Amino acid sequence: AIVAKTFDGIVLTWNVGAERIYGYTPEEMIGTPVAKLIPHGSENELPRVIEKIVRGEKTEHYDTKRIRKDGTIIDVSHTVSPIKDKNGKVAAISSVARDVTAQKEASQQSAQYARSLIEASLDPLVTINPEGKITDVNEATTKVTGRTREELVGSDFSKYFAEAEKARESYQQVFAKGLVSDYPLTIRHRDGRQTEVLYNASVYKDVRGKVLGVLAAARDVTAQKRAEREVAEQRTRELTRLAELERFQKLTVGRELKMIELKKEIEELKRRLGETVT
């Protein structure tokens, strides 16, 4: 939709694209305020943009909403630029709008699908920006930390671990190497409980290949670690008992050997005494 308008927002031209997107014919729009397309609550949007154009400031394209003739609210990508007279003075305003409602809906559906996948995971998932701040979490993360999503998002990732510096090193390694596997950390719950986890993390990028942050997934290994410690403690106890038995055996054998030697000595003394008497 390409539309020219005065500084007061009165429509000067209205092309076929504008008719198709907004539903109004040129006869219905030319000479009338373009404000009829602007939803309630956004009335100051266009005057601010026009003021910037008149002052000679550059304006970038922006996303906004508009009202069609049938009352439907649509999403549009808007670009506004000046129309200058032969002397180079700004005489009017030109806007180019593209209906992006379908793309917005598709993007929202994609985001909802991605969110459902994240929430379906029983493992804590978290995204971290290059500054080490949490940008998103799933429900499993809120449960293991005892914190709300609002508390977690925007806070420092490392503050929720028993060893903060080690946690900080973990995501720094990901940004440096691209990923980490089975990185051991201990998450601290608000009430003091601790959960031993192994983190697997990798960087994620935008469509241009620029690194946006880190996606990290934690696997709870508390029960496994507890079992390993119990096995290790049992083995230590068994080794200790074995060493005690071996020492007892040596002591017993030593005593038996001494008794044998003593018996031999007694017998030898008796024999000698017998010979002497004879």
mmCIF file of all heavy atoms in Angstrom, residues 120-170:
data_model
loop_
_atom_site.group_PDB
_atom_site.id
_atom_site.type_symbol
_atom_site.label_atom_id
_atom_site.label_comp_id
_atom_site.label_asym_id
_atom_site.label_seq_id
_atom_site.Cartn_x
_atom_site.Cartn_y
_atom_site.Cartn_z
ATOM 1 N N ALA A 120 7.703 -29.265 27.344
ATOM 2 C CA ALA A 120 7.511 -30.719 27.386
ATOM 3 C C ALA A 120 8.720 -31.427 27.989
ATOM 4 O O ALA A 120 8.622 -32.566 28.441
ATOM 5 C CB ALA A 120 7.241 -31.255 25.986
ATOM 6 N N SER A 121 9.848 -30.738 28.005
ATOM 7 C CA SER A 121 11.068 -31.343 28.564
ATOM 8 C C SER A 121 10.995 -31.403 30.084
ATOM 9 O O SER A 121 10.646 -30.432 30.747
ATOM 10 C CB SER A 121 12.293 -30.516 28.148
ATOM 11 O OG SER A 121 13.456 -30.992 28.796
ATOM 12 N N LEU A 122 11.331 -32.572 30.642
ATOM 13 C CA LEU A 122 11.384 -32.725 32.093
ATOM 14 C C LEU A 122 12.689 -32.171 32.660
ATOM 15 O O LEU A 122 12.795 -31.936 33.865
ATOM 16 C CB LEU A 122 11.242 -34.204 32.467
ATOM 17 C CG LEU A 122 9.923 -34.868 32.051
ATOM 18 C CD1 LEU A 122 9.928 -36.337 32.440
ATOM 19 C CD2 LEU A 122 8.734 -34.162 32.668
ATOM 20 N N ASP A 123 13.678 -31.972 31.788
ATOM 21 C CA ASP A 123 14.959 -31.422 32.215
ATOM 22 C C ASP A 123 14.894 -29.893 32.241
ATOM 23 O O ASP A 123 14.240 -29.288 31.393
ATOM 24 C CB ASP A 123 16.083 -31.843 31.263
ATOM 25 C CG ASP A 123 16.399 -33.321 31.341
ATOM 26 O OD1 ASP A 123 16.143 -33.911 32.399
ATOM 27 O OD2 ASP A 123 16.890 -33.876 30.345
ATOM 28 N N PRO A 124 15.571 -29.256 33.193
ATOM 29 C CA PRO A 124 15.649 -27.794 33.196
ATOM 30 C C PRO A 124 16.347 -27.284 31.935
ATOM 31 O O PRO A 124 17.438 -27.757 31.588
ATOM 32 C CB PRO A 124 16.481 -27.486 34.444
ATOM 33 C CG PRO A 124 16.285 -28.681 35.323
ATOM 34 C CD PRO A 124 16.206 -29.849 34.385
ATOM 35 N N LEU A 125 15.704 -26.353 31.251
ATOM 36 C CA LEU A 125 16.279 -25.723 30.056
ATOM 37 C C LEU A 125 16.383 -24.223 30.297
ATOM 38 O O LEU A 125 15.498 -23.617 30.886
ATOM 39 C CB LEU A 125 15.405 -25.978 28.829
ATOM 40 C CG LEU A 125 15.173 -27.423 28.407
ATOM 41 C CD1 LEU A 125 14.255 -27.475 27.196
ATOM 42 C CD2 LEU A 125 16.486 -28.120 28.085
ATOM 43 N N VAL A 126 17.474 -23.634 29.818
ATOM 44 C CA VAL A 126 17.674 -22.205 30.007
ATOM 45 C C VAL A 126 18.455 -21.642 28.829
ATOM 46 O O VAL A 126 19.313 -22.324 28.262
ATOM 47 C CB VAL A 126 18.427 -21.927 31.338
ATOM 48 C CG1 VAL A 126 19.767 -22.624 31.355
ATOM 49 C CG2 VAL A 126 18.603 -20.434 31.587
ATOM 50 N N THR A 127 18.122 -20.415 28.424
ATOM 51 C CA THR A 127 18.904 -19.722 27.406
ATOM 52 C C THR A 127 19.626 -18.553 28.069
ATOM 53 O O THR A 127 19.081 -17.903 28.961
ATOM 54 C CB THR A 127 18.035 -19.212 26.241
ATOM 55 O OG1 THR A 127 16.984 -18.379 26.754
ATOM 56 C CG2 THR A 127 17.420 -20.372 25.478
ATOM 57 N N ILE A 128 20.858 -18.314 27.618
ATOM 58 C CA ILE A 128 21.736 -17.323 28.244
ATOM 59 C C ILE A 128 22.323 -16.420 27.160
ATOM 60 O O ILE A 128 22.760 -16.914 26.107
ATOM 61 C CB ILE A 128 22.894 -18.019 28.990
ATOM 62 C CG1 ILE A 128 22.358 -19.165 29.850
ATOM 63 C CG2 ILE A 128 23.696 -17.038 29.834
ATOM 64 C CD1 ILE A 128 23.416 -20.195 30.199
ATOM 65 N N ASN A 129 22.329 -15.108 27.399
ATOM 66 C CA ASN A 129 22.928 -14.198 26.414
ATOM 67 C C ASN A 129 24.449 -14.078 26.652
ATOM 68 O O ASN A 129 24.967 -14.598 27.649
ATOM 69 C CB ASN A 129 22.229 -12.833 26.438
ATOM 70 C CG ASN A 129 22.476 -12.066 27.733
ATOM 71 O OD1 ASN A 129 23.385 -12.364 28.503
ATOM 72 N ND2 ASN A 129 21.650 -11.061 27.980
ATOM 73 N N PRO A 130 25.171 -13.420 25.746
ATOM 74 C CA PRO A 130 26.630 -13.319 25.890
ATOM 75 C C PRO A 130 27.092 -12.654 27.182
ATOM 76 O O PRO A 130 28.245 -12.821 27.582
ATOM 77 C CB PRO A 130 27.038 -12.478 24.662
ATOM 78 C CG PRO A 130 25.987 -12.787 23.648
ATOM 79 C CD PRO A 130 24.713 -12.895 24.438
ATOM 80 N N GLU A 131 26.215 -11.888 27.840
ATOM 81 C CA GLU A 131 26.581 -11.247 29.104
ATOM 82 C C GLU A 131 26.322 -12.158 30.310
ATOM 83 O O GLU A 131 26.555 -11.763 31.454
ATOM 84 C CB GLU A 131 25.790 -9.947 29.298
ATOM 85 C CG GLU A 131 26.200 -8.819 28.362
ATOM 86 C CD GLU A 131 25.760 -9.064 26.938
ATOM 87 O OE1 GLU A 131 24.602 -9.482 26.738
ATOM 88 O OE2 GLU A 131 26.573 -8.854 26.011
ATOM 89 N N GLY A 132 25.850 -13.370 30.048
ATOM 90 C CA GLY A 132 25.608 -14.316 31.136
ATOM 91 C C GLY A 132 24.263 -14.149 31.805
ATOM 92 O O GLY A 132 24.015 -14.733 32.862
ATOM 93 N N LYS A 133 23.366 -13.368 31.181
ATOM 94 C CA LYS A 133 22.027 -13.162 31.743
ATOM 95 C C LYS A 133 21.052 -14.192 31.157
ATOM 96 O O LYS A 133 21.119 -14.527 29.974
ATOM 97 C CB LYS A 133 21.521 -11.753 31.448
ATOM 98 C CG LYS A 133 22.434 -10.641 31.949
ATOM 99 C CD LYS A 133 22.562 -10.653 33.461
ATOM 100 C CE LYS A 133 23.438 -9.497 33.945
ATOM 101 N NZ LYS A 133 23.626 -9.529 35.417
ATOM 102 N N ILE A 134 20.152 -14.658 31.993
ATOM 103 C CA ILE A 134 19.142 -15.608 31.548
ATOM 104 C C ILE A 134 18.097 -14.887 30.701
ATOM 105 O O ILE A 134 17.580 -13.842 31.097
ATOM 106 C CB ILE A 134 18.463 -16.282 32.755
ATOM 107 C CG1 ILE A 134 19.475 -17.120 33.531
ATOM 108 C CG2 ILE A 134 17.283 -17.143 32.314
ATOM 109 C CD1 ILE A 134 18.941 -17.689 34.830
ATOM 110 N N THR A 135 17.798 -15.448 29.518
ATOM 111 C CA THR A 135 16.800 -14.830 28.640
ATOM 112 C C THR A 135 15.500 -15.629 28.576
ATOM 113 O O THR A 135 14.465 -15.097 28.203
ATOM 114 C CB THR A 135 17.358 -14.670 27.215
ATOM 115 O OG1 THR A 135 17.835 -15.950 26.742
ATOM 116 C CG2 THR A 135 18.518 -13.673 27.201
ATOM 117 N N ASP A 136 15.559 -16.907 28.949
ATOM 118 C CA ASP A 136 14.339 -17.713 28.974
ATOM 119 C C ASP A 136 14.583 -18.982 29.783
ATOM 120 O O ASP A 136 15.729 -19.445 29.889
ATOM 121 C CB ASP A 136 13.885 -18.079 27.559
ATOM 122 C CG ASP A 136 12.408 -18.475 27.507
ATOM 123 O OD1 ASP A 136 11.737 -18.411 28.554
ATOM 124 O OD2 ASP A 136 11.936 -18.833 26.411
ATOM 125 N N VAL A 137 13.521 -19.536 30.351
ATOM 126 C CA VAL A 137 13.600 -20.785 31.118
ATOM 127 C C VAL A 137 12.316 -21.577 30.893
ATOM 128 O O VAL A 137 11.310 -21.026 30.447
ATOM 129 C CB VAL A 137 13.768 -20.537 32.635
ATOM 130 C CG1 VAL A 137 15.056 -19.796 32.938
ATOM 131 C CG2 VAL A 137 12.565 -19.766 33.180
ATOM 132 N N ASN A 138 12.347 -22.860 31.219
ATOM 133 C CA ASN A 138 11.115 -23.647 31.191
ATOM 134 C C ASN A 138 10.649 -23.913 32.620
ATOM 135 O O ASN A 138 11.300 -23.528 33.596
ATOM 136 C CB ASN A 138 11.301 -24.947 30.409
ATOM 137 C CG ASN A 138 12.259 -25.915 31.090
ATOM 138 O OD1 ASN A 138 12.990 -25.545 32.015
ATOM 139 N ND2 ASN A 138 12.258 -27.151 30.644
ATOM 140 N N GLU A 139 9.499 -24.576 32.740
ATOM 141 C CA GLU A 139 8.904 -24.808 34.051
ATOM 142 C C GLU A 139 9.812 -25.656 34.939
ATOM 143 O O GLU A 139 9.867 -25.459 36.157
ATOM 144 C CB GLU A 139 7.544 -25.495 33.878
ATOM 145 C CG GLU A 139 6.777 -25.719 35.169
ATOM 146 C CD GLU A 139 6.374 -24.436 35.866
ATOM 147 O OE1 GLU A 139 6.300 -23.382 35.200
ATOM 148 O OE2 GLU A 139 6.127 -24.474 37.086
ATOM 149 N N ALA A 140 10.533 -26.601 34.327
ATOM 150 C CA ALA A 140 11.417 -27.466 35.111
ATOM 151 C C ALA A 140 12.503 -26.653 35.814
ATOM 152 O O ALA A 140 12.935 -26.993 36.924
ATOM 153 C CB ALA A 140 12.053 -28.519 34.206
ATOM 154 N N THR A 141 12.947 -25.563 35.189
ATOM 155 C CA THR A 141 13.966 -24.711 35.798
ATOM 156 C C THR A 141 13.408 -23.962 37.000
ATOM 157 O O THR A 141 14.090 -23.805 38.022
ATOM 158 C CB THR A 141 14.524 -23.706 34.767
ATOM 159 O OG1 THR A 141 15.041 -24.418 33.645
ATOM 160 C CG2 THR A 141 15.630 -22.863 35.372
ATOM 161 N N THR A 142 12.172 -23.501 36.894
ATOM 162 C CA THR A 142 11.569 -22.796 38.031
ATOM 163 C C THR A 142 11.407 -23.736 39.220
ATOM 164 O O THR A 142 11.550 -23.322 40.367
ATOM 165 C CB THR A 142 10.198 -22.193 37.655
ATOM 166 O OG1 THR A 142 9.264 -23.244 37.377
ATOM 167 C CG2 THR A 142 10.315 -21.300 36.431
ATOM 168 N N LYS A 143 11.114 -25.000 38.943
ATOM 169 C CA LYS A 143 10.924 -25.966 40.030
ATOM 170 C C LYS A 143 12.244 -26.295 40.725
ATOM 171 O O LYS A 143 12.307 -26.379 41.948
ATOM 172 C CB LYS A 143 10.288 -27.246 39.489
ATOM 173 C CG LYS A 143 8.831 -27.077 39.094
ATOM 174 C CD LYS A 143 8.258 -28.371 38.552
ATOM 175 C CE LYS A 143 6.787 -28.207 38.181
ATOM 176 N NZ LYS A 143 6.215 -29.451 37.617
ATOM 177 N N VAL A 144 13.308 -26.480 39.951
ATOM 178 C CA VAL A 144 14.577 -26.899 40.548
ATOM 179 C C VAL A 144 15.262 -25.763 41.292
ATOM 180 O O VAL A 144 16.077 -25.987 42.185
ATOM 181 C CB VAL A 144 15.515 -27.493 39.464
ATOM 182 C CG1 VAL A 144 16.166 -26.388 38.627
ATOM 183 C CG2 VAL A 144 16.575 -28.383 40.084
ATOM 184 N N THR A 145 14.914 -24.507 40.943
ATOM 185 C CA THR A 145 15.513 -23.353 41.618
ATOM 186 C C THR A 145 14.589 -22.751 42.678
ATOM 187 O O THR A 145 15.058 -22.005 43.546
ATOM 188 C CB THR A 145 15.862 -22.245 40.612
ATOM 189 O OG1 THR A 145 14.663 -21.832 39.938
ATOM 190 C CG2 THR A 145 16.890 -22.737 39.597
ATOM 191 N N GLY A 146 13.295 -23.043 42.569
ATOM 192 C CA GLY A 146 12.341 -22.439 43.500
ATOM 193 C C GLY A 146 12.088 -20.975 43.193
ATOM 194 O O GLY A 146 11.609 -20.225 44.042
ATOM 195 N N ARG A 147 12.384 -20.558 41.960
ATOM 196 C CA ARG A 147 12.215 -19.157 41.549
ATOM 197 C C ARG A 147 11.188 -19.067 40.427
ATOM 198 O O ARG A 147 11.027 -19.998 39.648
ATOM 199 C CB ARG A 147 13.543 -18.580 41.032
ATOM 200 C CG ARG A 147 14.739 -18.854 41.920
ATOM 201 C CD ARG A 147 14.861 -17.853 43.020
ATOM 202 N NE ARG A 147 15.982 -18.156 43.900
ATOM 203 C CZ ARG A 147 16.423 -17.341 44.824
ATOM 204 N NH1 ARG A 147 15.862 -16.154 44.988
ATOM 205 N NH2 ARG A 147 17.430 -17.683 45.620
ATOM 206 N N THR A 148 10.513 -17.938 40.334
ATOM 207 C CA THR A 148 9.563 -17.733 39.250
ATOM 208 C C THR A 148 10.321 -17.383 37.967
ATOM 209 O O THR A 148 11.494 -16.998 37.999
ATOM 210 C CB THR A 148 8.589 -16.597 39.565
ATOM 211 O OG1 THR A 148 9.325 -15.354 39.644
ATOM 212 C CG2 THR A 148 7.863 -16.841 40.876
ATOM 213 N N ARG A 149 9.632 -17.509 36.849
ATOM 214 C CA ARG A 149 10.234 -17.155 35.569
ATOM 215 C C ARG A 149 10.621 -15.670 35.554
ATOM 216 O O ARG A 149 11.670 -15.297 35.022
ATOM 217 C CB ARG A 149 9.256 -17.452 34.430
ATOM 218 C CG ARG A 149 9.836 -17.221 33.032
ATOM 219 C CD ARG A 149 8.860 -17.670 31.947
ATOM 220 N NE ARG A 149 9.462 -17.520 30.642
ATOM 221 C CZ ARG A 149 9.465 -16.389 29.949
ATOM 222 N NH1 ARG A 149 8.890 -15.301 30.460
ATOM 223 N NH2 ARG A 149 10.038 -16.326 28.765
ATOM 224 N N GLU A 150 9.773 -14.853 36.172
ATOM 225 C CA GLU A 150 10.052 -13.406 36.220
ATOM 226 C C GLU A 150 11.325 -13.109 37.015
ATOM 227 O O GLU A 150 12.083 -12.187 36.672
ATOM 228 C CB GLU A 150 8.869 -12.658 36.842
ATOM 229 C CG GLU A 150 7.612 -12.604 35.981
ATOM 230 C CD GLU A 150 6.907 -13.960 35.863
ATOM 231 O OE1 GLU A 150 7.084 -14.804 36.779
ATOM 232 O OE2 GLU A 150 6.212 -14.167 34.860
ATOM 233 N N GLU A 151 11.570 -13.887 38.061
ATOM 234 C CA GLU A 151 12.781 -13.703 38.861
ATOM 235 C C GLU A 151 14.024 -14.145 38.090
ATOM 236 O O GLU A 151 15.087 -13.518 38.186
ATOM 237 C CB GLU A 151 12.690 -14.523 40.148
ATOM 238 C CG GLU A 151 11.728 -13.985 41.191
ATOM 239 C CD GLU A 151 11.677 -14.878 42.416
ATOM 240 O OE1 GLU A 151 11.079 -15.965 42.346
ATOM 241 O OE2 GLU A 151 12.263 -14.490 43.444
ATOM 242 N N LEU A 152 13.876 -15.220 37.333
ATOM 243 C CA LEU A 152 15.033 -15.804 36.654
ATOM 244 C C LEU A 152 15.444 -15.013 35.416
ATOM 245 O O LEU A 152 16.628 -14.741 35.210
ATOM 246 C CB LEU A 152 14.722 -17.252 36.254
ATOM 247 C CG LEU A 152 14.570 -18.242 37.417
ATOM 248 C CD1 LEU A 152 13.967 -19.551 36.936
ATOM 249 C CD2 LEU A 152 15.925 -18.493 38.081
ATOM 250 N N VAL A 153 14.472 -14.648 34.581
ATOM 251 C CA VAL A 153 14.794 -13.944 33.335
ATOM 252 C C VAL A 153 15.400 -12.576 33.645
ATOM 253 O O VAL A 153 14.839 -11.790 34.391
ATOM 254 C CB VAL A 153 13.538 -13.799 32.448
ATOM 255 C CG1 VAL A 153 13.842 -12.903 31.241
ATOM 256 C CG2 VAL A 153 13.047 -15.162 31.979
ATOM 257 N N GLY A 154 16.568 -12.337 33.078
ATOM 258 C CA GLY A 154 17.271 -11.080 33.296
ATOM 259 C C GLY A 154 18.300 -11.139 34.405
ATOM 260 O O GLY A 154 19.112 -10.220 34.557
ATOM 261 N N SER A 155 18.287 -12.227 35.187
ATOM 262 C CA SER A 155 19.263 -12.358 36.274
ATOM 263 C C SER A 155 20.501 -13.123 35.801
ATOM 264 O O SER A 155 20.516 -13.704 34.722
ATOM 265 C CB SER A 155 18.637 -13.086 37.471
ATOM 266 O OG SER A 155 18.299 -14.421 37.130
ATOM 267 N N ASP A 156 21.525 -13.123 36.639
ATOM 268 C CA ASP A 156 22.787 -13.767 36.282
ATOM 269 C C ASP A 156 22.665 -15.288 36.432
ATOM 270 O O ASP A 156 22.234 -15.789 37.465
ATOM 271 C CB ASP A 156 23.908 -13.253 37.183
ATOM 272 C CG ASP A 156 25.268 -13.732 36.720
ATOM 273 O OD1 ASP A 156 25.765 -13.180 35.720
ATOM 274 O OD2 ASP A 156 25.815 -14.661 37.327
ATOM 275 N N PHE A 157 23.041 -16.010 35.385
ATOM 276 C CA PHE A 157 22.925 -17.475 35.363
ATOM 277 C C PHE A 157 23.678 -18.129 36.511
ATOM 278 O O PHE A 157 23.185 -19.067 37.139
ATOM 279 C CB PHE A 157 23.455 -17.987 34.014
ATOM 280 C CG PHE A 157 23.593 -19.481 33.915
ATOM 281 C CD1 PHE A 157 22.473 -20.291 33.761
ATOM 282 C CD2 PHE A 157 24.842 -20.081 33.967
ATOM 283 C CE1 PHE A 157 22.597 -21.669 33.656
ATOM 284 C CE2 PHE A 157 24.976 -21.455 33.868
ATOM 285 C CZ PHE A 157 23.854 -22.252 33.711
ATOM 286 N N SER A 158 24.862 -17.625 36.818
ATOM 287 C CA SER A 158 25.734 -18.299 37.772
ATOM 288 C C SER A 158 25.265 -18.211 39.226
ATOM 289 O O SER A 158 25.711 -18.992 40.067
ATOM 290 C CB SER A 158 27.157 -17.731 37.663
ATOM 291 O OG SER A 158 27.162 -16.352 37.976
ATOM 292 N N LYS A 159 24.352 -17.302 39.551
ATOM 293 C CA LYS A 159 23.973 -17.091 40.950
ATOM 294 C C LYS A 159 23.136 -18.227 41.528
ATOM 295 O O LYS A 159 22.925 -18.286 42.736
ATOM 296 C CB LYS A 159 23.222 -15.771 41.095
ATOM 297 C CG LYS A 159 21.839 -15.764 40.486
ATOM 298 C CD LYS A 159 21.156 -14.403 40.621
ATOM 299 C CE LYS A 159 20.759 -14.097 42.041
ATOM 300 N NZ LYS A 159 19.955 -12.862 42.153
ATOM 301 N N TYR A 160 22.684 -19.147 40.686
ATOM 302 C CA TYR A 160 21.828 -20.225 41.168
ATOM 303 C C TYR A 160 22.579 -21.551 41.358
ATOM 304 O O TYR A 160 21.963 -22.614 41.429
ATOM 305 C CB TYR A 160 20.649 -20.425 40.207
ATOM 306 C CG TYR A 160 19.874 -19.155 40.023
ATOM 307 C CD1 TYR A 160 20.005 -18.393 38.860
ATOM 308 C CD2 TYR A 160 19.058 -18.653 41.036
ATOM 309 C CE1 TYR A 160 19.329 -17.195 38.709
ATOM 310 C CE2 TYR A 160 18.376 -17.458 40.889
ATOM 311 C CZ TYR A 160 18.517 -16.730 39.723
ATOM 312 O OH TYR A 160 17.856 -15.543 39.582
ATOM 313 N N PHE A 161 23.906 -21.440 41.482
ATOM 314 C CA PHE A 161 24.714 -22.644 41.619
ATOM 315 C C PHE A 161 25.600 -22.576 42.857
ATOM 316 O O PHE A 161 25.972 -21.487 43.308
ATOM 317 C CB PHE A 161 25.584 -22.850 40.371
ATOM 318 C CG PHE A 161 24.759 -23.096 39.134
ATOM 319 C CD1 PHE A 161 24.315 -22.038 38.360
ATOM 320 C CD2 PHE A 161 24.396 -24.376 38.769
ATOM 321 C CE1 PHE A 161 23.526 -22.251 37.242
ATOM 322 C CE2 PHE A 161 23.616 -24.610 37.647
ATOM 323 C CZ PHE A 161 23.185 -23.540 36.885
ATOM 324 N N ALA A 162 25.922 -23.761 43.378
ATOM 325 C CA ALA A 162 26.763 -23.829 44.574
ATOM 326 C C ALA A 162 28.140 -23.241 44.296
ATOM 327 O O ALA A 162 28.758 -22.642 45.173
ATOM 328 C CB ALA A 162 26.876 -25.281 45.043
ATOM 329 N N GLU A 163 28.643 -23.431 43.087
ATOM 330 C CA GLU A 163 29.936 -22.876 42.688
ATOM 331 C C GLU A 163 29.701 -21.900 41.533
ATOM 332 O O GLU A 163 29.705 -22.286 40.366
ATOM 333 C CB GLU A 163 30.889 -23.996 42.260
ATOM 334 C CG GLU A 163 31.214 -24.974 43.383
ATOM 335 C CD GLU A 163 32.029 -26.151 42.892
ATOM 336 O OE1 GLU A 163 31.433 -27.075 42.304
ATOM 337 O OE2 GLU A 163 33.260 -26.129 43.074
ATOM 338 N N ALA A 164 29.486 -20.642 41.877
ATOM 339 C CA ALA A 164 29.132 -19.629 40.885
ATOM 340 C C ALA A 164 30.202 -19.463 39.809
ATOM 341 O O ALA A 164 29.887 -19.353 38.619
ATOM 342 C CB ALA A 164 28.883 -18.283 41.573
ATOM 343 N N GLU A 165 31.465 -19.465 40.199
ATOM 344 C CA GLU A 165 32.543 -19.268 39.230
ATOM 345 C C GLU A 165 32.598 -20.418 38.237
ATOM 346 O O GLU A 165 32.817 -20.219 37.037
ATOM 347 C CB GLU A 165 33.890 -19.137 39.960
ATOM 348 C CG GLU A 165 35.054 -18.778 39.037
ATOM 349 C CD GLU A 165 34.813 -17.502 38.241
ATOM 350 O OE1 GLU A 165 34.189 -16.569 38.768
ATOM 351 O OE2 GLU A 165 35.254 -17.453 37.069
ATOM 352 N N LYS A 166 32.374 -21.628 38.735
ATOM 353 C CA LYS A 166 32.376 -22.802 37.859
ATOM 354 C C LYS A 166 31.215 -22.721 36.863
ATOM 355 O O LYS A 166 31.355 -23.083 35.687
ATOM 356 C CB LYS A 166 32.268 -24.075 38.689
ATOM 357 C CG LYS A 166 32.446 -25.351 37.893
ATOM 358 C CD LYS A 166 32.421 -26.569 38.810
ATOM 359 C CE LYS A 166 32.593 -27.855 38.005
ATOM 360 N NZ LYS A 166 32.516 -29.048 38.890
ATOM 361 N N ALA A 167 30.061 -22.230 37.318
ATOM 362 C CA ALA A 167 28.901 -22.057 36.442
ATOM 363 C C ALA A 167 29.193 -20.997 35.380
ATOM 364 O O ALA A 167 28.817 -21.135 34.212
ATOM 365 C CB ALA A 167 27.680 -21.665 37.257
ATOM 366 N N ARG A 168 29.871 -19.928 35.783
ATOM 367 C CA ARG A 168 30.232 -18.856 34.844
ATOM 368 C C ARG A 168 31.192 -19.395 33.782
ATOM 369 O O ARG A 168 31.060 -19.083 32.588
ATOM 370 C CB ARG A 168 30.868 -17.698 35.619
ATOM 371 C CG ARG A 168 31.047 -16.428 34.789
ATOM 372 C CD ARG A 168 31.527 -15.277 35.652
ATOM 373 N NE ARG A 168 30.533 -14.903 36.659
ATOM 374 C CZ ARG A 168 30.657 -15.127 37.952
ATOM 375 N NH1 ARG A 168 31.757 -15.707 38.440
ATOM 376 N NH2 ARG A 168 29.708 -14.763 38.798
ATOM 377 N N GLU A 169 32.125 -20.215 34.205
ATOM 378 C CA GLU A 169 33.081 -20.807 33.261
ATOM 379 C C GLU A 169 32.384 -21.714 32.256
ATOM 380 O O GLU A 169 32.819 -21.820 31.102
ATOM 381 C CB GLU A 169 34.149 -21.595 34.021
ATOM 382 C CG GLU A 169 35.121 -20.721 34.807
ATOM 383 C CD GLU A 169 36.061 -21.554 35.670
ATOM 384 O OE1 GLU A 169 35.937 -22.805 35.642
ATOM 385 O OE2 GLU A 169 36.906 -20.966 36.365
ATOM 386 N N SER A 170 31.278 -22.341 32.677
ATOM 387 C CA SER A 170 30.590 -23.291 31.801
ATOM 388 C C SER A 170 30.047 -22.600 30.552
ATOM 389 O O SER A 170 30.281 -23.052 29.432
ATOM 390 C CB SER A 170 29.453 -23.995 32.557
ATOM 391 O OG SER A 170 28.395 -23.091 32.848
#
